[in-house]
Amino acid sequence: MTDKASENGMTFSEGVQKIKALEQVIRKNVVGQDRVVREMVIGLLGAGHILIEGIPGLGKTLLARTVAKAAGSHFNRIQFTPDLMPSDITGHGMFDMQDNQFKIRKGPIFTHFLLADEINRAPAKTQAALLEAMQEQQVTIEGKSLPLAHPFLVMATQNPIEQEGTYPLPQAQTDRFMFKIFIDYPDDEDEQRIVNYATRNSIGDGLDSSKVTTILTPAEVSALQKMLTRMTIDEQIVAYIVKIIRTTRKWNGIDYGAGPRGAINLLRAARGSALLNERGFVTPDDVKAVALPVLRHRIKLSADMEIEGYNADQVLLNLLYSVEAPRM
Amino acid sequence: MDLDAITVAIRPRTVWEAIDAGFMLARQWYWKLFLLWLLAASPFLLLLFGCIFLLPPSVVKWFLLLFWLFKPFYEVPILNWISKALFGEKARVKATFADVKKKLRLCTLFTVLFTRFSPFRSFSMPVLHLEGLEGSARKQRLALLANNSETAFFLTVSGFFIELFLALSLMTVCYWLLPESLRWVDFGRFIFQPENWLLLISYIFSCALFAPFYTCAGFMMYISRRVELEAWDIEIGFKQMGQRLVRLKNGIIRTAPALALLFTIAFSGLPGKTLAATPKPDAARKTITKVLAGKDFGHKVTRYYWVPKEKIKTEPNSAWMKLLEKAFKYLAGLFENVAPLAANFGKFLLWCVAGVVIAFLLVKYFRLSEWLDGRFGKRQKTYTPPEIMFGMDLQPESLPEDIGASCLALLDKGRKREALSLLYRGTLSRLVNLYSLEIHASFTEAECCDTVRNHRPETEGTFFAALTGLWVSLAYAHRNPDGENCRRLVTEWDKLYGVQA
């Protein structure tokens, strides 16, 4: 990939600078979650949707708001509840008495960044409506297809505890998320910083994302996403990705491995990682760096492994350790 | 020691029977012995628990060690009490401790402490404490008695595991009894965390539970050995026999006048010899004839029975039969002589078969572990340099003798890719074969760089990072490297790994 300006007038080095700045800004506001921030930025670059798993109070909403603000994009949040209907997300047609005709009222899905909070609390048909829109990048209301905004990124959250009364996402639907990110407690020092930051000159307990500097515009986000498509991808890298994916299918301890969509998403994510590492080409290191968040929700561990207390990450690490890295 | 008052049957016992008898004794007076152990250990426990409250929690493990070290001292009162109770003397607790105090001198204290490291402690403690022997006399005595020391060893090992099992069981019960909401640690951490008070208390309690059994079993082994050597059973047998004879003699003396009177009365009432009628010879003859002619005499009755005929032994009548007989007899004799040899040979064969079976199982085990490692991707414990990695032959024989010169020759011809490939391959070969650097086939370029940086000098780390950077750019970005950079790397390589290095 050369340093020529793209159709949006952004060169590779400008793109790298912009994305680095974006990451910095987000990190400044979301303290102690550097790995999560990096994965979010890669998700944004790869135009993939993100499933975040973590207990409440770790800054998932803040993260989504900050990313949206820094990327100069519009943000909406939906709290998923058992009585949430598909039309509450997508919108619906309503009869206007004055004009004597049906008008479409667009739902919160018409935004750049959508935070689907506790997605597993809504019933399957509501989940399906969102996931379908994610896949198709458009919504049909009253027989009329309406395209979604571009860029469009869904960040869905799940709570790993309190599983009562939830509707766990089926494997087929989690597959539509590019990443599954685990958000964990920050360390001691970072937690002190968060407490200070959240309580200084603040009445409530929430962190303010309004002061976040806007780094990109939606058009620039699209330009960066397009920039990734022009990256140099060696055939060995593709072969390496396919080898990893195929190994998940025959690995002892995994009942179901990842499908071709897993391979596609792994490459998309690896490109994002390469850009963040200021490279115009993908290396096996980029692939390995994003393999866990891309694959952890695409495999199903066997009952034996689950009983023995293994999790998907441990199995995937072993798997990656056994797959030969390419050299030419 | 009054053998007459002994509370167990004295007879020669095997060591296992002696241990059984010891356990029976412990069961008989269990709570008393348990109390003695606790009383003996309590000053020590109170003192050290007090210290621990004042000191940091990390001392728990040292406390555990000290407690373990002083264990023989808690068993001495048990031994003292049981040695008296066996011969019918039920000593009071206070008297037992007074006796222990009297017997324990400074040098004995050290010897008792030293027995902590002996796996035969249960057996040697009675010799030390009850016989009061020291130095070479004790050694000689132990050498004489200790023909069953391996059993004492097994008893100690079993005791160790029983105590451990009891302690862990108590811990497990405590864990299970915890409400679910309070289980803030998992089971492993609950048991094996370093500063674990509960484990310490459980271990002390399990030691207290098992100590009476252990001490009594050792004591009975000692008694059993003495019975065997000193023939206590025979002594007791003779004593009992003597007592019986004395009783008999005393009985006769006491009953003699009465018997005499009885005989007198009895014999005085008998008719005199003159009263018997003496038959005449003729009359007697007639009577005899009459009796002989009677029904029971003078009759002949013939009865027939079936009697099996004896087989007629036939001598071998032909020469070849005789020869055959001789041959069989010779063969039988031969087998009798050869049998021990054949037995030894069979034994040898058996050992060979056992060796083959063990070797077969070992091979199977290693293959299985390799298979499992392959399946689950576990790290190999030992690293053997691979011959081929990343599709590149890393054997030193496969590389040119002077890699630097070969690279330069390729660069001169403009074959940069091949030159860089050779340099990268040569570096990896040197790292894995010469310095045994653990590089696996799944390592990416950055992981290889990290490994070199972490395990080799800084200069090598820097060189390898530069080489990898150039290599990655060539391999994945399809960019031709700068010739000057390549030459610089070759010079650097020569310094680090080349012929002059």
Side-chain angles (χ1 to χ4, degrees), chain A residues 159-230:
Chain A
N159 186 348
I161 53 172
E162 296 170 1
Q163 294 293 320
E164 277 174 47
T166 59
Y167 303 86
L169 291 174
Q171 188 99 10
Q173 299 206 348
T174 53
D175 197 45
R176 297 180 190 203
F177 289 96
M178 176 193 260
F179 275 167
K180 181 179 183 182
I181 298 174
F182 287 132
I183 187 163
D184 208 347
Y185 294 109
D187 60 29
D188 187 24
E189 204 178 310
D190 288 330
E191 199 156 352
Q192 281 188 37
R193 279 172 61 203
I194 292 168
V195 173
N196 281 327
Y197 186 48
T199 51
R200 196 169 294 156
N201 303 325
S202 171
I203 296 168
D205 65 347
L207 287 156
D208 188 11
S209 60
S210 60
K211 289 175 190 163
V212 174
T213 319
T214 302
I215 304 291
L216 298 169
T217 61
E220 283 175 331
V221 172
S222 297
L224 282 168
Q225 288 174 348
K226 276 184 188 157
M227 189 179 280
L228 295 194
T229 59
R230 290 183 284 112

Side-chain angles (χ1 to χ4, degrees), chain A residues 234 285 288 321 325-328, chain B residues 417 441-442 444 446-447 471 478:
Chain A
D234 192 82
D285 285 302
K288 257 193 178 177
Y321 188 78
R327 296 284 192 288
M328 289 203 302
Chain B
R417 188 186 184 87
S442 63
T444 57
E447 284 167 339
W471 168 255
H478 305 162

